[in-house]
Amino acid sequence: MEDEKKSYQQVMKATSLFGGVQVIRILVTVIRSKIMALLLGPEGVGISNLLTRPLQLITVATQLGLDKSAVKEISAHYKKGQETQAYRMIAILKRLVWITAIIGALFTIIFSGILSKFTFDSYEYTYTFMWLGLAVIFNQLAMSNLAVLQGLRKLAFLAKANIYGAIAGLIVTIPLYYYLKLDGILPAIVMTSGFVFLFAYLFAKRIVKVRTSVTNKTVFSEGKPMIKLGLALSFSSIIGLVVAYLILVYIRAEGGKIEAGFYGAGIAILNNYVGLIFNAMSTDYYPRLAAVCDDIKAVIKTVFEQAFIGILLITPVVIVFIAFAPLFISLLYSNEFEPAVALVRWGILGMVFKAVSWSIGYVIIAKGDSKLFTKTAIFFNSILLALNVIGYYYWGLEGIGMSLLIYFIIHYIGVRILTYYRYGFKMKAGFYPIFLMCILLCTAAFIATYIETPLFKYGVLIGLIIISSLYSFRLLDTKIGFRSLVNTILKRKK
């Protein structure tokens, strides 16, 4: 029983949503979004998204998924106490990433004109895309160093590297937006990428003190398994980014840059603020799951713990965002972004299903089942693209939110069936009553937003926030001793 409690506490500690690290990260994102919205407006947010989407796509496409496959290789060796081999994998990773980074930058420069024409329906941004080649290099080098920290389970350094880079990027972003307006978007993107790389490199250097020499022949021979898995992961990630890029370009073509700005703001809330829970959990979850991937009982236990923590953490957050979506959008951006409210409310409801499907879906990655992962990525992203296009065509931004909810439900059902027949994975029966209760609470909150009387509406919503918070707190307390954990943290602060 004590071992089980420690296991849950490890998940909670790794997630650390109540810690100062995550709070700072959220604040940096909030401040950056607010400054961009106030100084550049919806058009500026739209242009920024139209530049960052292809940047992310090129980065991932040319990086070959090495940041993810390397975590698996490094963590597996490190877990077994094979530090020499782990450091050898790190040396191979670093050599490979330099090659992929240069290829990515050259691709961006060579196809800058085509990228500008396709993204903006104009060649006006050709030189802008050429300069983004520098950001591609920074991003890839940063990701390799962050993968090292994650694979070696240096989570504190990993978090600090991300935060320090984000804060430094924010500091230079403010004067750029203020003085250069829309022209400040490009240097802000490049400099932020540069700072993230700088701090990732400095923290990784502090950890990896043993330098291992590897030849080019060794890199491609011993790094073959990492490249093979990385290619599959990269291909799957590329599909997701291509779909996101195509949706954004479609919205820009149909509704203009301002409409693309509204869409970008809504998606940012789902991915950056609510999605922060998944980012926090994945930091420790993937290495833990990869380390036990050959033991189905250990896999079931690990997934259950992660899904249990995830669903209970996210439910009150979802209800809060559903209840106060207009306020959050106004605070995070401005009143001009009100059209994104409906997108956020529908889309965030789907996060309840994502919390579970996300936890289960990592089993495929941890198993290194590249063929299945590739097929599922193509299948699910094709559904997402079709649903988003149909949703936006008929119902605008609200239709995007509706389509996201439908997609997350389909994704949950699909992943659940696939992992059962492929690996014999079954979620513990005790999870489903909790899952159902969380769905009902979030659905009730969504329905309550349609109550016309403001006093009654917000009375019901606040009541649901309290109920969901108490429900989550009680269940978390039974598993991890939440009260004693919180009391310990508070005593330390004193």
Side-chain angles (χ1 to χ4, degrees), residues 335-351:
N335 292 330
E336 291 182 83
F337 289 79
E338 188 178 353
V341 170
L343 186 161
V344 171
R345 277 182 167 156
W346 280 100
I348 207 168
L349 195 58
M351 291 293 169

Side-chain angles (χ1 to χ4, degrees), residues 113-128:
I114 296 173
L115 289 167
S116 177
K117 179 63 177 176
F118 182 76
T119 306
F120 294 94
D121 194 26
S122 167
Y123 291 105
E124 179 185 354
Y125 292 87
T126 298
Y127 289 108
T128 299

Side-chain angles (χ1 to χ4, degrees), residues 206-311:
R206 290 174 61 179
I207 298 302
V208 184
K209 297 181 179 179
V210 179
R211 293 188 176 183
T212 304
S213 299
V214 290
T215 62
N216 289 332
K217 184 178 179 181
T218 301
V219 167
F220 291 102
S221 60
E222 294 188 23
K224 188 175 179 180
M226 188 160 60
I227 296 171
K228 186 178 178 181
L229 176 60
L231 283 169
L233 294 176
S234 173
F235 181 70
S236 304
S237 300
I238 289 167
I239 294 170
L241 289 170
V242 165
V243 168
Y245 181 34
L246 290 176
I247 292 168
L248 185 61
V249 171
Y250 173 72
I251 293 172
R252 192 272 307 156
E254 292 292 319
K257 294 176 184 176
I258 293 177
E259 189 83 349
F262 295 148
Y263 167 78
I267 294 299
I269 289 175
L270 297 179
N271 292 339
N272 295 341
Y273 305 117
V274 181
L276 185 66
I277 293 175
F278 302 113
N279 293 333
M281 290 191 294
S282 66
T283 301
D284 181 68
Y285 179 48
Y286 177 39
R288 281 193 302 112
L289 193 59
V292 299
C293 65
D294 295 325
D295 184 349
I296 189 60
K297 290 184 178 179
V299 168
I300 291 172
K301 177 178 178 292
T302 303
V303 173
F304 173 75
E305 291 171 351
Q306 194 68 55
F308 179 87
I309 296 290
I311 194 71

